[in-house]
C-alpha cells in the first residue's frame, strides 16, 4: 500500500474516534463453523463499520509425500472481522468473529486467552460444524454460551434436546437469535455477560 | 432429535495467574499523554503499579512498557490501544507516519492493521519500533483472569444495555 498520499489514507470517521480517556479494551470472540453467521453478528452490533484484520500463515504442505522440502510451503491468508462498542469513556469492547479452525488461532496473540468469553453460534441444519470449536474452548477454559442462529429452513429443536446433543452442562445458557438484528445480537451478548457474572459470583471462573 | 452428538472436553491447561483487580477510572481525566510517568524509566521499575506503590487503582499498570533497557518487546494484543505521543518526526517511515496520524485518538492494533492493510504481525513490529522511539504509547487490554472482576463485567453490561 502507498503510505505517502496522506489525503487518501483510510482511517476512522471522525465520529468513530475513541475519546482520549479510553484506557483499556476488553474483547469477546464470536466463533462457530463455516457460515453460521459470525460476520453478520459482528456487523449488527458494532458501532463502527466492521473491519477486517488479516494474517498470513506460511504452512508447509502437510500430508503430501514429496521431495521438494521448503518448496511446498504455501501462504494462506486468514481474515478476521471485528467490531467495536464503546462501554464507558475509559473502556471499549471489541468483538472478533473468529474462524472456527483452531490452527488459525495462534496467529493472533492472546485472542482466546485474554477474551472475557465467547459466543458459539450454531446452525441447527449443521450443528456439528460448531462441535470442534466448543471442545477447543473447553480445553482452554474459555467460558462460552451457545447462540442458535435461526435460519428459516433450519429445524427447530427444544432447547433441552439441543443441550443433550451439544453435551452442555445445565449452567451454560443456550439462546435463540437472529444475528441480523441488532437487538437480538445485543441480547446474546447480554446473556454471555450475565453468564460470566454468575461465574464470577460463584467463584467458578478460572 | 437425531444426528451427531458432541462429547464435552476437559480443560487442559492451568488457569492463568491471578492479577490485580480492574482499576477504577482515574480521578480526573488526563490531558495529553497520560502515561508519561509510566513510561519514565528513571527508577527502573516501569512495570509496577500493583499493591507495592500503595495505589491499587493506579491506572498506570494498564500501560504496556516497551523498549526497556533489556530490550524487552511490547506484548501487543489485538486490542492494545495505541496513542500518538507526538507528531511524526521527519525521520519517520511512511508507515510510521501513517500510524502516528491515525493514532491522534486511541486506536487498537487491530484497527490499525485493518486501516493500513498490514497483517497483525507486521503491525506489531511497526508499533514496537514506535514505542521504543517513544512516539506512541500503548494501553494494555484487560484480560480474563483467575480472579474474576465483577465490577468490570457490570460495566460492560451497562454499556451494552445502552446500545
Ligand atoms: N435467515 C438468516 N440468515 C442469516 C442469519 N445470519 C446470517 N445469515 C446469512 O447466512 C450467511 C452466512 O452468514 P455469515 O455472517 O457470513 O457467516 P460467517 O459465520 O461469518 O461465515 P464464514 O466467515 O464464511 O464462516 C449470510 O448470507 C447471511 O446473510 C440469520 O440469522 N438468519
Ligand atoms: Mg465470516
Amino acid at each position: 500500500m502507498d503510505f505517502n498520499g496522506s489525503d487518501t489514507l483510510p482511517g476512522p470517521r471522525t465520529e468513530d474516534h475513541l475519546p482520549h480517556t479510553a484506557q483499556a479494551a476488553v474483547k469477546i470472540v464470536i466463533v462457530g463453523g463455516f457460515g453460521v453467521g459470525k460476520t453478520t453478528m459482528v456487523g449488527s452490533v458494532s458501532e463502527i463499520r466492521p473491519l477486517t484484520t488479516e494474517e498470513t500463515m506460511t504452512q508447509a504442505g502437510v500430508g503430501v509425500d514429496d521431495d521438494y522440502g521448503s518448496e511446498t510451503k504455501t501462504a494462506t491468508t486468514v481474515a478476521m472481522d471485528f467490531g467495536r462498542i464503546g462501554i464507558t469513556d475509559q473502556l471499549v469492547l471489541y468483538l472478533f468473529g473468529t474462524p472456527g479452525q483452531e490452527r488459525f488461532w495462534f496467529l493472533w496473540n492472546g485472542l482466546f486467552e485474554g477474551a472475557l468469553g465467547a459466543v458459539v453460534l450454531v446452525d441447527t441444519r449443521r450443528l456439528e460444524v460448531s462441535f470442534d470449536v466448543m471442545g477447543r474452548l473447553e480445553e482452554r477454559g474459555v467460558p462460552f454460551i451457545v447462540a442458535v442462529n435461526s435460519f428459516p429452513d433450519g429445524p427447530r429443536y427444544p432447547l433441552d434436546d439441543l443441550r443433550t446433543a451439544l453435551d452442555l452442562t445445565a449452567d451454560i445458557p443456550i439462546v435463540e437469535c437472529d444475528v441480523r438484528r441488532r437487538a437480538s445480537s445485543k441480547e446474546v451478548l447480554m446473556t454471555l455477560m450475565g453468564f460470566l457474572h454468575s461465574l464470577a459470583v460463584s467463584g467458578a471462573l478460572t | 432429535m437425531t444426528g451427531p452428538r458432541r462429547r464435552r472436553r476437559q480443560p487442559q491447561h492451568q488457569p492463568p495467574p491471578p492479577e490485580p483487580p480492574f482499576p477504577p477510572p482515574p480521578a480526573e481525566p488526563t490531558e495529553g499523554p497520560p502515561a508519561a510517568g509510566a513510561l519514565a524509566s528513571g527508577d527502573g521499575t516501569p512495570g509496577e503499579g500493583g499493591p507495592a506503590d500503595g495505589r491499587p487503582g493506579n491506572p498506570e499498570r494498564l500501560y504496556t512498557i516497551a523498549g526497556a533497557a533489556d530490550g524487552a518487546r511490547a506484548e501487543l494484543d489485538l486490542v492494545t490501544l495505541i496513542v500518538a505521543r507526538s507528531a511524526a518526526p521527519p525521520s519517520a517511515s511512511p508507515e510510521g507516519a501513517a500510524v502516528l496520524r491515525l493514532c491522534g485518538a486511541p486506536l487498537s492494533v487491530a484497527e490499525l492493521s485493518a486501516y493500513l492493510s498490514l497483517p497483525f504481525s507486521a503491525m506489531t513490529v511497526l508499533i514496537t519500533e514506535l514505542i521504543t522511539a517513544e512516539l506512541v504509547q500503548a494501553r494494555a487490554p484487560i484480560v480474563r483472569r483467575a480472579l474474576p472482576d465483577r465490577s468490570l463485567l457490570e460495566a460492560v453490561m451497562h454499556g451494552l444495555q445502552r446500545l
Side-chain angles (χ1 to χ4, degrees):
Chain A
M1 130 171 274
D2 173 18
F3 291 96
N4 290 306
S6 62
D7 289 346
T8 58
L9 273 179
R13 300 171 301 183
T14 309
E15 61 267 36
D16 287 344
H17 285 165
L18 285 172
H20 279 273
T21 47
Q23 292 295 312
V26 291
K27 58 190 181 238
I28 287 174
V29 287
I30 297 166
V31 285
F34 180 75
V36 293
K38 304 177 292 288
T39 299
T40 307
M41 182 168 175
V42 167
S44 78
V45 284
S46 180
E47 289 177 339
I48 60 167
R49 181 174 57 84
L51 296 169
T52 304
T53 178
E54 293 190 342
E55 191 54 274
T56 305
M57 183 167 72
T58 307
Q59 197 178 34
V62 282
V64 184
D65 197 11
D66 64 75
D67 303 315
Y68 304 104
S70 62
E71 295 297 312
T72 61
K73 278 189 180 167
T74 56
T76 310
T77 300
V78 188
M80 183 162 64
D81 335 282
F82 65 100
R84 193 183 83 192
I85 298 170
I87 299 296
T88 66
D89 285 347
Q90 281 91 33
L91 188 63
V92 199
L93 168 65
Y94 285 90
L95 302 164
F96 288 92
T98 306
Q101 304 93 315
E102 192 204 28
R103 65 199 155 93
F104 297 148
W105 296 357
F106 75 93
L107 291 172
W108 293 283
N109 213 356
L111 175 60
F112 284 85
E113 289 70 17
L116 296 180
V119 172
V120 177
L121 283 175
V122 299
D123 173 350
T124 54
R125 296 168 301 183
R126 339 168 261 131
L127 276 185
E128 63 283 358
V129 301
S130 296
F131 281 4
D132 186 59
V133 75
M134 284 182 225
R136 304 290 185 182
L137 295 173
E138 285 163 341
E139 286 170 357
R140 288 160 182 251
V142 182
F144 66 90
I145 65 158
V146 170
V148 183
N149 196 12
S150 320
F151 289 88
D153 53 337
R156 305 183 76 88
Y157 299 118
L159 290 188
D160 280 348
D161 292 2
L162 275 174
R163 186 177 299 284
T164 305
L166 298 175
D167 196 19
L168 299 175
T169 52
D171 59 319
I172 297 181
I174 306 177
V175 289
E176 286 182 18
C177 62
D178 179 340
V179 295
R180 294 169 300 179
R181 293 175 42 237
R182 174 180 269 205
S184 184
S185 296
K186 172 181 155 181
E187 206 50 47
V188 170
L189 295 179
M190 287 297 288
T191 303
L192 172 65
M193 296 314 299
F195 175 57
L196 298 177
H197 195 264
S198 71
L199 293 178
V201 170
S202 69
L205 191 62
T206 55
Chain B
M1 73 189 260
T2 55
R5 291 195 166 207
R6 194 181 79 92
R7 289 277 302 278
R8 118 179 34 136
R9 297 188 209 158
Q10 297 303 316
Q12 289 184 342
H13 306 289
Q14 291 299 310
E19 281 184 37
F22 172 53
E28 303 164 47
T30 43
E31 275 296 314
L39 285 169
S41 52
D43 61 2
T45 54
E48 76 174 11
D53 66 358
R55 287 182 297 156
N58 185 356
E60 288 178 2
R61 81 165 187 84
L62 292 175
Y63 302 113
T64 298
I65 311 300
D70 62 357
R73 274 180 56 120
E75 271 291 336
L76 290 170
D77 189 279
L78 277 163
V79 301
T80 300
L81 297 177
I82 307 299
V83 196
R85 303 180 74 196
S86 63
S91 58
S93 65
E95 294 87 347
V99 172
L100 291 171
R101 189 188 61 82
L102 284 174
C103 292
L107 209 55
S108 65
V109 179
E111 282 162 296
L112 287 167
S113 151
Y115 287 129
L116 298 179
S117 300
L118 283 175
F120 174 64
S121 53
M123 205 62 238
T124 60
V125 170
L126 177 55
I127 293 169
T128 302
E129 286 170 11
L130 294 171
I131 293 171
T132 306
E134 301 191 345
L135 291 170
V136 301
Q137 172 197 96
R139 302 177 181 178
I142 300 170
V143 299
R144 186 180 76 249
R145 63 184 65 123
L147 279 181
D149 190 323
R150 281 148 69 172
S151 63
L152 170 69
L153 299 173
E154 285 158 13
V156 175
M157 282 193 267
H158 289 141
L160 284 173
Q161 209 102 56
R162 285 198 312 271
L163 190 66

